[in-house]
Amino acid sequence: MRLSTSLVVLFALLPVMAWADTDELPAEIDYLLTTMSTSGCTFIRNGKEYDAADAESHLRMKYGRGKRYAPTTELFIERLASKSSMSGKPYYIECEGTERMTSAEWLTALLEAYRAAMVADQADALLTAEP
């Protein structure tokens, strides 16, 4: 049992850097943007409202141009997905039934939930694996 717990912790702590030399979007960032696109939320950039698909497209473009500034998902959120690089104004997200929040808050909460689910999936896989 200690070995299983150790493996779960190890998997959870592994950096998600396998994408560094490829043109593929890192799995976590892809998840965040894909989820944003299908969220039905409204994205507010520089005071103008955009639908979720436009928000995804804009942030994918920003990542494509600025990925060297975002070697981690946290830095992607902080440096590329939180505010306008032109005006410096924060991005906001409004979802039905919730209050407006910054895109940094929304994306960070989504990332935390994604990582928790990944750890739970890995733990389940380890617990059900035959010795």
Side-chain angles (χ1 to χ4, degrees):
M1 187 65 149
R2 290 185 101 187
L3 179 61
S4 294
T5 303
S6 297
L7 288 173
V8 170
V9 171
L10 176 63
F11 284 125
L13 297 177
L14 287 175
V16 183
M17 297 296 288
W19 72 86
D21 294 324
T22 69
D23 288 333
E24 290 183 31
L25 205 61
E28 289 182 337
I29 295 173
D30 185 57
Y31 173 79
L32 295 178
L33 296 180
T34 300
T35 302
M36 174 183 279
S37 178
T38 59
S39 69
C41 298
T42 301
F43 184 74
I44 298 103
R45 178 169 47 101
N46 292 320
K48 187 173 177 190
E49 293 185 356
Y50 297 87
D51 68 24
D54 286 339
E56 176 196 23
S57 177
H58 177 72
L59 293 179
R60 282 185 189 272
M61 178 273 304
K62 280 186 79 172
Y63 180 76
R65 292 182 179 172
K67 62 184 161 190
R68 68 184 170 276
Y69 303 112
T72 67
T73 306
E74 290 84 359
L75 288 175
F76 164 73
I77 293 170
E78 178 186 330
R79 295 179 178 171
L80 302 175
S82 293
K83 64 183 176 184
S84 169
S85 54
M86 301 289 281
S87 70
K89 292 180 181 178
Y91 295 152
Y92 293 95
I93 295 183
E94 285 183 1
C95 300
E96 191 172 325
T98 64
E99 291 187 29
R100 175 189 281 197
M101 65 179 70
T102 65
S103 63
E105 293 170 315
W106 193 84
L107 291 167
T108 299
L110 189 59
L111 177 60
E112 289 171 358
Y114 175 80
R115 286 180 173 168
M118 294 301 290
V119 168
D121 287 349
Q122 290 168 352
D124 287 344
L126 289 171
L127 292 175
T128 58
E130 303 238 354

